[in-house]
Amino acid sequence: MPSSIISLLASVSKQITIYLGSFTLIAGVIGGLLNIVVFLSLRTFRESSAAFYLTVMSIVNVGQLLTGLLSRIMSSGFGIDWTLTSLFYCKFRSYCFNVCASTSMTCVCLAIIDQYLATSSRVQWRQWCNIKVARRLVLVFVLIWIIQGIPYIIYYDQVISTTTGQVTCIITNNIFVQYTTYGNFLAFQKILPICITFVFGLLAYNNVQQLGYRTVPLVRRELDKQLTVMILVLIVFAFFTNMPYTVIYIVSTTAQFTQDPVLSAQIQFASLVTTYLIYIYFASPFYIYVCVSNRFRRQLIYVSFEIYVNRFRGRRMVINQVMPET
């Protein structure tokens, strides 16, 4: 009976990996690229510091899906593990995955802080919301996460088991394992971003409610409302998709829960399901923006048809024009 439960969970896990994982990967990459196109095509977004944070977040989200989720689908779904055949990929995958994840969560925090300052009644605080400051902050934090991720390159290695002879790609330093578990993952990527976004999200929401009573240009007011709503809904979605995995991750580190093979298999299955919730979050921003913002939907249609489709048609007409014979 226990063996049948374990095999059933393994079979279901494989199907989830293949179908849900593939759908999330394709939808996430397409949505991320569409986000980048919309944000970079409209001057309104190009001059907005909050939109700049969201653009960078979209870029690293695509990078994270391609390095993290694609590798998981290939290894768990089809038995092709590139980390076992290439030492470079063993190190690069973990490094790139963590840099992208940390940068993504940082951009969410910076975006909601930016919207809190942008909607503040104090002129001095609103002055901090400009594209130059945003670029410098992103550059600083990206450099921090790049340097912070160097130990992943050093301590991730291919290890051959003395009992089974199988190769695994794991961290070979016990101290760095503890730092990765409790410092980088729980503190920097989960708990701290959740606290920051929760506090500044409430403050930004309160500021937006007061915008109608201030002498703010209409275009700027509508942009601030749009971006604040988009970011707030994204933050709420991030909370409900990241917290389950955080809880399961903490439970899985407790030895007493891993001694029973059936219970261990159930925890592994729960870990897999909650892991895909996290990947769904990284794949979801574009679809959240489309659902919650009517203005973003209009902007998407304008960029797609008015700018690129008409420009493509215009080029085809010029190319196809032939001088009539006399």
Side-chain angles (χ1 to χ4, degrees):
M1 185 66 179
S3 60
S4 62
I5 295 176
I6 295 174
S7 61
L8 176 62
L9 291 176
S11 176
V12 174
S13 298
K14 184 176 181 179
Q15 299 303 312
I16 290 176
T17 297
I18 294 175
Y19 295 106
L20 179 60
S22 300
F23 175 79
T24 303
L25 176 65
I26 296 172
V29 171
I30 293 175
L33 294 177
L34 288 175
N35 271 341
I36 296 169
V37 170
V38 173
F39 287 139
L40 294 181
S41 299
L42 297 177
R43 183 178 178 183
T44 303
F45 288 135
R46 291 199 303 269
E47 296 178 349
S48 169
S49 50
F52 177 75
Y53 296 131
L54 298 182
T55 305
V56 176
M57 185 187 72
S58 298
I59 295 173
V60 295
N61 282 355
V62 171
Q64 189 178 33
L65 291 172
L66 292 177
T67 55
L69 182 54
L70 177 60
S71 179
R72 177 179 287 270
I73 294 171
M74 298 303 296
S75 61
S76 301
F78 301 99
I80 304 173
D81 195 340
W82 296 322
T83 64
L84 305 184
T85 58
S86 171
L87 178 60
F88 168 78
Y89 192 76
C90 169
K91 295 176 178 292
F92 172 77
R93 178 185 181 272
S94 301
Y95 174 77
C96 185
F97 179 86
N98 281 277
V99 170
C100 289
S102 300
T103 303
S104 179
M105 299 307 294
T106 300
C107 286
V108 174
C109 294
L110 291 175
I112 193 60
I113 293 173
D114 182 271
Q115 281 308 109
Y116 163 67
L117 297 176
T119 56
S120 173
S121 59
R122 300 185 181 183
V123 179
Q124 301 92 330
W125 290 7
R126 293 201 300 268
Q127 291 176 351
W128 286 96
C129 303
N130 62 77
I131 196 66
K132 292 183 179 180
V133 173
R135 288 171 179 169
R136 291 171 184 172
L137 284 175
V138 167
L139 178 61
V140 168
F141 278 106
V142 168
L143 289 176
I144 290 175
W145 297 129
I146 287 176
I147 296 172
Q148 183 262 355
I150 291 177
Y152 285 91
I153 299 177
I154 299 174
Y155 295 121
Y156 258 93
D157 202 355
Q158 292 176 332
V159 177
I160 302 176
S161 173
T162 56
T163 56
T164 62
Q166 293 182 343
V167 180
T168 55
C169 178
I170 59 174
I171 301 175
T172 56
N173 184 282
N174 292 329
I175 297 177
F176 188 62
V177 169
Q178 299 300 316
Y179 167 75
T180 300
T181 302
Y182 301 105
N184 186 42
F185 179 77
L186 289 179
F188 294 149
Q189 294 184 15
K190 301 302 175 186
I191 298 176
L192 189 59
I194 287 174
C195 294
I196 292 175
T197 53
F198 177 77
V199 172
F200 283 95
L202 291 177
L203 294 174
Y205 177 79
N206 181 67
N207 286 346
V208 168
Q209 301 303 309
Q210 307 297 325
L211 279 179
Y213 304 99
R214 300 174 191 165
T215 56
V216 181
L218 180 61
V219 175
R220 176 70 187 189
R221 183 190 308 169
E222 292 302 317
L223 178 62
D224 285 335
K225 287 183 178 180
Q226 175 191 9
L227 291 174
T228 303
V229 170
M230 288 164 53
I231 297 171
L232 285 176
V233 176
L234 182 64
I235 289 172
V236 173
F237 189 75
F239 176 82
F240 286 104
T241 51
N242 281 265
M243 282 306 296
Y245 180 79
T246 305
V247 174
I248 296 298
Y249 189 83
I250 295 174
V251 171
S252 65
T253 58
T254 306
Q256 62 180 359
F257 289 104
T258 58
Q259 294 176 352
D260 182 9
V262 176
L263 182 58
S264 177
Q266 292 172 342
I267 292 176
Q268 290 179 1
F269 178 76
S271 177
L272 177 119
V273 173
T274 53
T275 296
Y276 281 104
L277 286 179
I278 294 180
Y279 281 120
I280 288 173
Y281 159 71
F282 287 113
S284 66
F286 170 76
Y287 306 99
I288 290 176
Y289 304 157
V290 169
C291 291
V292 304
S293 175
N294 182 49
R295 190 180 184 191
F296 185 83
R297 292 195 294 271
R298 296 198 304 268
Q299 290 163 334
L300 173 64
I301 294 173
Y302 174 78
V303 170
S304 301
F305 295 97
E306 296 297 328
I307 296 181
Y308 291 102
V309 173
N310 289 343
R311 183 182 299 177
F312 177 73
R313 288 177 178 175
R315 288 179 180 177
R316 288 192 60 184
M317 289 179 62
V318 172
I319 294 173
N320 292 334
Q321 282 180 353
V322 179
M323 292 296 293
E325 295 182 1
T326 56

